Amino acid sequence: MGTTSMGTYTAKLTDGPLEGKTVTTEFLESGDPRPRIEIPAESGGKRYLYARGTGREFADGDAVSDRPSAVDYRYLEAQFD
């Protein structure tokens, strides 16, 4: 069973412990940005949960102009394993 990639975008972490960092993530199958992302801490045993914010950026000349090239995410909480 194969999966179809809907492309990637940059998640910009706007606050919390990872403020100012960016990560690349994939769009949902619907083509929408993910509502939440989990980022594992470097030390292990902990994950940071971020929720999609309202900020979006679009690349000039992007073939799929209705999809953002970058989306803001706000810190929600740390989750421990």
Side-chain angles (χ1 to χ4, degrees):
M1 179 188 297
T3 59
T4 303
S5 174
M6 296 304 295
T8 62
Y9 64 97
T10 300
K12 296 170 56 177
L13 309 178
T14 61
D15 60 0
L18 302 177
E19 181 177 358
K21 296 194 183 284
T22 61
V23 295
T24 300
T25 191
E26 292 185 355
F27 288 100
L28 297 171
E29 285 188 27
S30 65
D32 295 322
R34 296 184 176 282
R36 293 182 178 200
I37 56 174
E38 287 186 19
I39 302 165
E42 290 180 14
S43 60
K46 180 168 53 172
R47 300 177 316 275
Y48 300 110
L49 181 61
Y50 279 79
R52 186 175 61 210
T54 57
R56 295 181 181 207
E57 295 177 16
F58 295 85
D60 292 334
D62 190 357
V64 186
S65 62
D66 60 331
R67 288 195 197 157
S69 57
V71 177
D72 289 347
Y73 281 81
R74 300 208 38 130
Y75 177 71
L76 290 179
E77 66 184 1
Q79 298 179 335
F80 299 89
D81 293 333

